[in-house]
Amino acid sequence: MSLLSDLINLNLSDTTEKVIAEYIWIGGSGLDLRSKARTLPGPVSDPSKLPKWNYDGSSTGQAPGEDSEVIIYPQAIFKDPFRRGNNILVMCDAYTPAGEPIPTNKRHNAAKIFSHPDVVAEEPWYGIEQEYTLLQKDVNWPVGWPVGGFPGPQGPYYCGAGADKAFGRDIVDAHYKACLYAGINISGINGEVMPGQWEFQVGPAVGISAGDELWVARYILERITEIAGVVLSFDPKPIKGDWNGAGAHTNYRDTLRTEGQLLTWTRMLLLP
């Protein structure tokens, strides 16, 4: 296992200029994240300099089997906290081979609105509070809860500290640092009301970058929980009964009161 760890942590810049780009996109449910990697001849910092790529949309619920090709367009670049070095994460959106956005591509229309000169002049700021729940992998029950049973009532867990109140903090802190490394404007974390539930905040971020940063922050969290053997849930009500729900709350600096359409598109882009 130590050899495996050494290989994973190899610094490629010692031996090659080539870098690995992990292309990320949103799957057919509108919530699931997909990704695959490719080798580039050298470092890239401008998404317009990256090649478009393709994937089998019939395997993600986004295209029929007889016409399954979907094209992904690179839109935003982040440093890769897993491979590190010059390797990158690339947030993409998805199109048909003819260049039409597929139905789950909400970013395309949002980008049109955010790039409008009147909107650009207003600098719309967003802060998104993303709540989530960490679940034990084999039973889909919150971490820190007795299997098939319940912890003490809510009250001491919100922003709590201690082995009997805060469950999964190592995952949360790893995610916090990984997002900062990636260049995401993550502004904080806290324990939430239900034990095993946490929140991170992205922003303030301007315009469509808020959506890109939130989705990549979600992707990074998915990868960290994968490593930890824990299931990540964005379910708004993961546990039935009188237990706190989870959501993504959008805070908007309202500098242009006639932009109801802008806010509508933003909610479509950002929220589960």
PDB file of all heavy atoms in Angstrom, residues 3 16-18 20 41 60 74 89 103 106 125 187 208 221 247 249:
ATOM      1  N   LEU A   3       3.662   1.611  -1.571  1.00  0.00           N
ATOM      2  CA  LEU A   3       4.079   1.810  -2.948  1.00  0.00           C
ATOM      3  C   LEU A   3       2.951   2.453  -3.757  1.00  0.00           C
ATOM      4  O   LEU A   3       3.190   3.364  -4.566  1.00  0.00           O
ATOM      5  CB  LEU A   3       4.484   0.482  -3.584  1.00  0.00           C
ATOM      6  CG  LEU A   3       4.868   0.538  -5.074  1.00  0.00           C
ATOM      7  CD1 LEU A   3       6.017   1.505  -5.307  1.00  0.00           C
ATOM      8  CD2 LEU A   3       5.227  -0.863  -5.579  1.00  0.00           C
ATOM      9  N   THR A  16       8.324  15.120 -16.832  1.00  0.00           N
ATOM     10  CA  THR A  16       7.613  15.419 -18.073  1.00  0.00           C
ATOM     11  C   THR A  16       6.876  16.747 -17.966  1.00  0.00           C
ATOM     12  O   THR A  16       6.497  17.173 -16.867  1.00  0.00           O
ATOM     13  CB  THR A  16       6.607  14.305 -18.415  1.00  0.00           C
ATOM     14  OG1 THR A  16       5.933  14.623 -19.638  1.00  0.00           O
ATOM     15  CG2 THR A  16       5.573  14.127 -17.313  1.00  0.00           C
ATOM     16  N   GLU A  17       6.663  17.388 -19.119  1.00  0.00           N
ATOM     17  CA  GLU A  17       5.849  18.604 -19.167  1.00  0.00           C
ATOM     18  C   GLU A  17       4.366  18.272 -19.299  1.00  0.00           C
ATOM     19  O   GLU A  17       3.517  19.152 -19.150  1.00  0.00           O
ATOM     20  CB  GLU A  17       6.282  19.484 -20.349  1.00  0.00           C
ATOM     21  CG  GLU A  17       7.678  20.088 -20.195  1.00  0.00           C
ATOM     22  CD  GLU A  17       8.022  21.030 -21.330  1.00  0.00           C
ATOM     23  OE1 GLU A  17       7.179  21.185 -22.240  1.00  0.00           O
ATOM     24  OE2 GLU A  17       9.124  21.606 -21.309  1.00  0.00           O
ATOM     25  N   LYS A  18       4.055  17.025 -19.585  1.00  0.00           N
ATOM     26  CA  LYS A  18       2.665  16.633 -19.786  1.00  0.00           C
ATOM     27  C   LYS A  18       1.883  16.761 -18.479  1.00  0.00           C
ATOM     28  O   LYS A  18       2.425  16.578 -17.385  1.00  0.00           O
ATOM     29  CB  LYS A  18       2.586  15.210 -20.308  1.00  0.00           C
ATOM     30  CG  LYS A  18       3.153  15.052 -21.710  1.00  0.00           C
ATOM     31  CD  LYS A  18       3.039  13.624 -22.213  1.00  0.00           C
ATOM     32  CE  LYS A  18       3.595  13.518 -23.634  1.00  0.00           C
ATOM     33  NZ  LYS A  18       3.508  12.135 -24.151  1.00  0.00           N
ATOM     34  N   ILE A  20      -2.229  16.145 -16.584  1.00  0.00           N
ATOM     35  CA  ILE A  20      -3.503  15.418 -16.642  1.00  0.00           C
ATOM     36  C   ILE A  20      -4.640  16.402 -16.402  1.00  0.00           C
ATOM     37  O   ILE A  20      -4.618  17.165 -15.434  1.00  0.00           O
ATOM     38  CB  ILE A  20      -3.544  14.298 -15.596  1.00  0.00           C
ATOM     39  CG1 ILE A  20      -2.389  13.312 -15.820  1.00  0.00           C
ATOM     40  CG2 ILE A  20      -4.886  13.559 -15.639  1.00  0.00           C
ATOM     41  CD1 ILE A  20      -2.224  12.304 -14.702  1.00  0.00           C
ATOM     42  N   PRO A  41      -0.285  18.058 -23.628  1.00  0.00           N
ATOM     43  CA  PRO A  41       1.161  18.176 -23.848  1.00  0.00           C
ATOM     44  C   PRO A  41       1.868  19.104 -22.878  1.00  0.00           C
ATOM     45  O   PRO A  41       3.084  19.035 -22.708  1.00  0.00           O
ATOM     46  CB  PRO A  41       1.261  18.693 -25.283  1.00  0.00           C
ATOM     47  CG  PRO A  41      -0.064  19.324 -25.564  1.00  0.00           C
ATOM     48  CD  PRO A  41      -1.065  18.536 -24.787  1.00  0.00           C
ATOM     49  N   THR A  60     -25.120   7.826 -19.514  1.00  0.00           N
ATOM     50  CA  THR A  60     -25.369   8.807 -18.452  1.00  0.00           C
ATOM     51  C   THR A  60     -26.825   9.282 -18.458  1.00  0.00           C
ATOM     52  O   THR A  60     -27.177  10.201 -17.719  1.00  0.00           O
ATOM     53  CB  THR A  60     -24.457  10.042 -18.620  1.00  0.00           C
ATOM     54  OG1 THR A  60     -24.754  10.701 -19.858  1.00  0.00           O
ATOM     55  CG2 THR A  60     -22.994   9.642 -18.585  1.00  0.00           C
ATOM     56  N   PRO A  74     -14.942  22.657 -22.536  1.00  0.00           N
ATOM     57  CA  PRO A  74     -14.306  23.178 -21.320  1.00  0.00           C
ATOM     58  C   PRO A  74     -14.738  24.621 -21.049  1.00  0.00           C
ATOM     59  O   PRO A  74     -14.765  25.450 -21.961  1.00  0.00           O
ATOM     60  CB  PRO A  74     -12.812  23.102 -21.647  1.00  0.00           C
ATOM     61  CG  PRO A  74     -12.701  22.065 -22.726  1.00  0.00           C
ATOM     62  CD  PRO A  74     -13.952  22.224 -23.544  1.00  0.00           C
ATOM     63  N   LEU A  89      -8.441  20.359 -12.914  1.00  0.00           N
ATOM     64  CA  LEU A  89      -9.840  19.966 -13.030  1.00  0.00           C
ATOM     65  C   LEU A  89     -10.500  20.926 -14.011  1.00  0.00           C
ATOM     66  O   LEU A  89     -10.254  22.136 -13.954  1.00  0.00           O
ATOM     67  CB  LEU A  89     -10.546  20.046 -11.682  1.00  0.00           C
ATOM     68  CG  LEU A  89      -9.949  19.240 -10.526  1.00  0.00           C
ATOM     69  CD1 LEU A  89     -10.734  19.503  -9.242  1.00  0.00           C
ATOM     70  CD2 LEU A  89      -9.918  17.754 -10.846  1.00  0.00           C
ATOM     71  N   PRO A 103     -30.528  18.932 -23.047  1.00  0.00           N
ATOM     72  CA  PRO A 103     -31.504  19.457 -22.080  1.00  0.00           C
ATOM     73  C   PRO A 103     -30.968  19.676 -20.673  1.00  0.00           C
ATOM     74  O   PRO A 103     -31.426  20.582 -19.971  1.00  0.00           O
ATOM     75  CB  PRO A 103     -32.612  18.396 -22.097  1.00  0.00           C
ATOM     76  CG  PRO A 103     -32.540  17.813 -23.476  1.00  0.00           C
ATOM     77  CD  PRO A 103     -31.086  17.791 -23.817  1.00  0.00           C
ATOM     78  N   LYS A 106     -27.869  23.460 -18.296  1.00  0.00           N
ATOM     79  CA  LYS A 106     -28.453  24.732 -17.867  1.00  0.00           C
ATOM     80  C   LYS A 106     -27.440  25.874 -17.958  1.00  0.00           C
ATOM     81  O   LYS A 106     -27.812  27.050 -17.978  1.00  0.00           O
ATOM     82  CB  LYS A 106     -28.959  24.636 -16.422  1.00  0.00           C
ATOM     83  CG  LYS A 106     -29.887  23.459 -16.146  1.00  0.00           C
ATOM     84  CD  LYS A 106     -31.135  23.488 -16.982  1.00  0.00           C
ATOM     85  CE  LYS A 106     -32.070  22.330 -16.629  1.00  0.00           C
ATOM     86  NZ  LYS A 106     -33.246  22.266 -17.518  1.00  0.00           N
ATOM     87  N   TRP A 125     -23.302  39.442  -7.409  1.00  0.00           N
ATOM     88  CA  TRP A 125     -22.547  38.627  -6.454  1.00  0.00           C
ATOM     89  C   TRP A 125     -23.440  37.559  -5.853  1.00  0.00           C
ATOM     90  O   TRP A 125     -24.586  37.828  -5.486  1.00  0.00           O
ATOM     91  CB  TRP A 125     -22.006  39.494  -5.312  1.00  0.00           C
ATOM     92  CG  TRP A 125     -20.821  40.337  -5.656  1.00  0.00           C
ATOM     93  CD1 TRP A 125     -20.402  40.717  -6.901  1.00  0.00           C
ATOM     94  CD2 TRP A 125     -19.899  40.915  -4.727  1.00  0.00           C
ATOM     95  NE1 TRP A 125     -19.288  41.505  -6.805  1.00  0.00           N
ATOM     96  CE2 TRP A 125     -18.951  41.645  -5.485  1.00  0.00           C
ATOM     97  CE3 TRP A 125     -19.788  40.889  -3.339  1.00  0.00           C
ATOM     98  CZ2 TRP A 125     -17.908  42.330  -4.884  1.00  0.00           C
ATOM     99  CZ3 TRP A 125     -18.756  41.578  -2.752  1.00  0.00           C
ATOM    100  CH2 TRP A 125     -17.818  42.282  -3.509  1.00  0.00           C
ATOM    101  N   SER A 187     -15.680  30.000   1.483  1.00  0.00           N
ATOM    102  CA  SER A 187     -15.552  31.030   2.518  1.00  0.00           C
ATOM    103  C   SER A 187     -15.760  30.495   3.927  1.00  0.00           C
ATOM    104  O   SER A 187     -15.536  31.230   4.894  1.00  0.00           O
ATOM    105  CB  SER A 187     -16.529  32.181   2.256  1.00  0.00           C
ATOM    106  OG  SER A 187     -17.837  31.702   2.061  1.00  0.00           O
ATOM    107  N   ILE A 208     -21.531  33.785 -13.348  1.00  0.00           N
ATOM    108  CA  ILE A 208     -21.595  32.346 -13.581  1.00  0.00           C
ATOM    109  C   ILE A 208     -20.472  31.589 -12.887  1.00  0.00           C
ATOM    110  O   ILE A 208     -20.563  30.367 -12.684  1.00  0.00           O
ATOM    111  CB  ILE A 208     -21.595  32.055 -15.089  1.00  0.00           C
ATOM    112  CG1 ILE A 208     -22.198  30.662 -15.355  1.00  0.00           C
ATOM    113  CG2 ILE A 208     -20.196  32.202 -15.692  1.00  0.00           C
ATOM    114  CD1 ILE A 208     -22.566  30.435 -16.792  1.00  0.00           C
ATOM    115  N   LEU A 221     -15.772  17.155  -3.147  1.00  0.00           N
ATOM    116  CA  LEU A 221     -16.326  16.482  -1.977  1.00  0.00           C
ATOM    117  C   LEU A 221     -16.696  15.033  -2.304  1.00  0.00           C
ATOM    118  O   LEU A 221     -16.481  14.123  -1.485  1.00  0.00           O
ATOM    119  CB  LEU A 221     -17.545  17.250  -1.463  1.00  0.00           C
ATOM    120  CG  LEU A 221     -18.171  16.762  -0.157  1.00  0.00           C
ATOM    121  CD1 LEU A 221     -17.151  16.680   0.966  1.00  0.00           C
ATOM    122  CD2 LEU A 221     -19.341  17.678   0.236  1.00  0.00           C
ATOM    123  N   GLY A 247     -30.124  21.672   2.011  1.00  0.00           N
ATOM    124  CA  GLY A 247     -30.381  22.391   0.765  1.00  0.00           C
ATOM    125  C   GLY A 247     -29.177  23.214   0.357  1.00  0.00           C
ATOM    126  O   GLY A 247     -28.122  23.175   0.993  1.00  0.00           O
ATOM    127  N   HIS A 249     -28.602  27.128  -0.299  1.00  0.00           N
ATOM    128  CA  HIS A 249     -29.246  28.436  -0.159  1.00  0.00           C
ATOM    129  C   HIS A 249     -28.442  29.481  -0.925  1.00  0.00           C
ATOM    130  O   HIS A 249     -27.226  29.588  -0.742  1.00  0.00           O
ATOM    131  CB  HIS A 249     -29.338  28.829   1.313  1.00  0.00           C
ATOM    132  CG  HIS A 249     -29.924  27.758   2.171  1.00  0.00           C
ATOM    133  ND1 HIS A 249     -29.342  27.309   3.341  1.00  0.00           N
ATOM    134  CD2 HIS A 249     -31.046  27.005   2.003  1.00  0.00           C
ATOM    135  CE1 HIS A 249     -30.079  26.350   3.865  1.00  0.00           C
ATOM    136  NE2 HIS A 249     -31.110  26.143   3.069  1.00  0.00           N
TER     137      HIS A 249
END
